[in-house]
Amino acid sequence: MLICLASVLLLHLYAGNLEDLEQMRKNLPEAMEVTAKICNLDGSMDHGLKIKEELLSKLLKSESVAEPAASVQLLADIGAPGAGDRKRVPALEAVGVNCLKGAGDLRPEDVFLPEGTTLAFLASDERKCLADRALLEDKGYRTGDRMVLDLFCYRYGDYHEVFCEPLEQCEYEIAGMVDAGGAEYPELILPLGAVRDSYARAGYPFLANSFSFVVKNPLELNAFKEEMHSLGFLPVSVGAELHYEGNALVVRDESFIKAAERIEENLTLLRGFLPLILFITAGAGYLTAHLFIQDRRQEYALFRSMGLGRVKSGLVFSAEYLLLAAAGCGLGTLCARAAVPESGSRLLAVAAVSMGCCIPGMLAAFVSMSRRGVMQLLARKD
């Protein structure tokens, strides 16, 4: 019983450690995110870029991209209905985003919305916006009011020039206020879809200024990088010339790869011990069963001399031995549950392996003993 107990306890500890490592590998993407962002070819800029609308659409539709955060920088001024002085210098910073993350370091608790509303409108093309609290107080607006905005966009020249040009005058509803204390953030936050519509009406090609995201399945980084390469992304080259094209991708996967490699190394090492663990368990089970049966040969000979057949005699000792082995497995399982969390599948697997190591030894011992006559068994000393 003690040998069966020790064998089951060893198997449970081994299986529990193996399962923990596999679960750790499975949960690694949630515990350690792999993020990526678009930058220019020399890696010096990740904002103020020229990211083409076609590339942006492919990224938003990609199955490998999670939590995308896109933004387009704008300038704005608060106008009046019918006003059209498009030559004045815009005084306000604005940004079009598809989620709050695209607006910088703002947190959900920095945004004050009417009860029952959410920030879901940022991912739509609705003409709603978030405005800075100080701006609303200065202009006399409140949440729910509508205001006319003169929007201006950035245009890029052929020689690294950046121009500010009129985009559209349109009306937006104030969906909420933003107040983040000393943090820097634009005074107006608009939905990215609505800004794209403004570009289309103005006849300008839409260009996003930044894009970052989380890799959906970091365990398949090679497939992800192949997909990004097929979209046209290049690796960062420090020696490249400065330009505004957003055509390079930076993937922050160093920490994740190191952690995944350590887990894989431990899994490989632990799996390498499996043959040794099974050999020890099988050897202990075989030896225990063999010694148990051989020690009962005089009783076996007595049963045979009384006229009991080989099969019936073997069943008597088999039942006795299997009861002891099952009791040892049960005690080992109870001891293991205190140290290792159990699952039903593991309980059955460990019990099957443990009993499977005992039964062959028992059968081999019975076959060896049944081949001898009664007088040989009684005369044998060892």
Side-chain angles (χ1 to χ4, degrees):
M1 286 179 63
L2 289 176
I3 292 176
C4 290
L5 185 150
S7 299
V8 169
L9 186 59
L10 175 64
L11 287 173
H12 273 295
L13 292 175
Y14 174 81
N17 288 329
L18 188 63
E19 189 175 303
D20 287 344
L21 281 174
E22 291 177 346
Q23 188 66 30
M24 189 181 301
R25 181 181 61 179
K26 182 180 178 181
N27 295 336
L28 186 61
E30 298 179 5
M32 188 177 294
E33 291 184 341
V34 175
T35 59
K37 63 180 179 180
I38 297 178
C39 62
N40 60 348
L41 193 57
D42 68 347
S44 61
M45 298 173 58
D46 56 10
H47 285 76
L49 300 172
K50 296 165 56 179
I51 304 174
K52 296 180 180 178
E53 185 175 13
E54 179 182 1
L55 182 59
L56 179 68
S57 299
K58 290 180 179 179
L59 286 173
L60 291 174
K61 295 177 182 178
S62 173
E63 296 293 335
S64 302
V65 174
E67 302 179 25
S71 69
V72 54
Q73 295 175 343
L74 303 168
L75 291 175
D77 209 345
I78 299 178
D85 185 7
R86 312 290 283 166
K87 297 182 180 180
R88 65 182 182 276
V89 178
L92 305 176
E93 291 185 4
V95 63
V97 298
N98 66 328
C99 65
L100 191 63
K101 185 179 178 182
D105 298 329
L106 290 177
R107 301 168 298 173
E109 52 265 31
D110 298 328
V111 180
F112 301 90
L113 299 169
E115 187 176 354
T117 60
T118 66
L119 291 171
F121 72 91
L122 292 176
S124 68
D125 56 359
E126 298 181 62
R127 288 193 179 183
K128 296 182 179 180
C129 68
L130 299 174
D132 178 52
R133 181 192 293 271
L135 173 66
L136 295 181
E137 293 176 352
D138 180 59
K139 299 294 184 179
Y141 287 101
R142 295 182 302 175
T143 300
D145 292 346
R146 306 185 69 88
M147 61 181 176
V148 176
L149 297 178
D150 283 339
L151 298 180
F152 293 75
C153 64
Y154 289 101
R155 305 284 291 167
Y156 299 88
D158 297 331
Y159 301 97
H160 306 301
E161 310 100 327
V162 180
F163 305 99
C164 179
E165 296 184 1
L167 179 62
E168 186 183 27
Q169 186 179 77
C170 48
E171 190 177 57
Y172 275 81
E173 177 187 345
I174 303 173
M177 295 186 299
V178 180
D179 188 359
E184 295 185 3
Y185 56 92
E187 291 147 306
L188 294 170
I189 301 174
L190 316 176
L192 186 68
V195 176
R196 291 175 72 173
D197 291 342
S198 294
Y199 270 82
R201 284 189 291 269
Y204 293 154
F206 178 79
L207 296 173
N209 300 135
S210 70
F211 191 90
S212 62
F213 59 94
V214 175
V215 179
K216 192 172 184 178
N217 189 1
L219 295 177
E220 298 181 1
L221 276 176
N222 291 334
F224 162 74
K225 291 181 180 179
E226 288 179 3
E227 180 186 353
M228 294 299 106
H229 181 71
S230 67
L231 294 180
F233 284 111
L234 302 173
V236 172
S237 176
V238 180
E241 295 183 1
L242 174 66
H243 60 78
Y244 297 112
E245 292 289 339
N247 56 359
L249 189 68
V250 175
V251 183
R252 297 178 178 176
D253 56 359
E254 297 86 358
S255 299
F256 181 87
I257 290 176
K258 290 180 180 178
E261 287 178 347
R262 285 196 296 268
I263 293 176
E264 286 297 333
E265 289 174 359
N266 292 333
L267 275 172
T268 302
L269 180 63
L270 202 57
R271 287 167 179 163
F273 279 107
L274 180 58
L276 179 61
I277 295 293
L278 292 178
F279 177 78
I280 293 174
T281 306
Y286 180 88
L287 184 61
T288 304
H290 188 79
L291 293 177
F292 177 84
I293 298 301
Q294 289 296 325
D295 190 58
R296 311 297 295 275
R297 63 180 182 273
Q298 292 184 351
E299 297 178 41
Y300 177 77
L302 180 60
F303 280 16
R304 291 288 305 279
S305 64
M306 294 173 60
L308 204 62
R310 294 180 181 180
V311 176
K312 291 184 178 180
S313 301
L315 289 176
V316 173
F317 295 106
S318 298
E320 183 179 348
Y321 174 73
L322 291 176
L323 286 174
L324 290 174
C329 290
L331 290 175
T333 300
L334 291 176
C335 294
R337 293 194 63 166
V340 183
E342 294 295 331
S343 62
S345 58
R346 193 199 305 168
L347 283 173
L348 295 176
V350 170
V353 171
S354 180
M355 295 301 294
C357 292
C358 298
I359 292 175
M362 178 187 67
L363 294 176
F366 272 123
V367 170
S368 175
M369 190 167 55
S370 63
R371 289 177 178 176
R372 296 183 176 89
V374 175
M375 298 307 297
Q376 290 178 321
L377 293 172
L378 292 174
R380 190 172 177 180
K381 299 298 184 182
D382 54 342

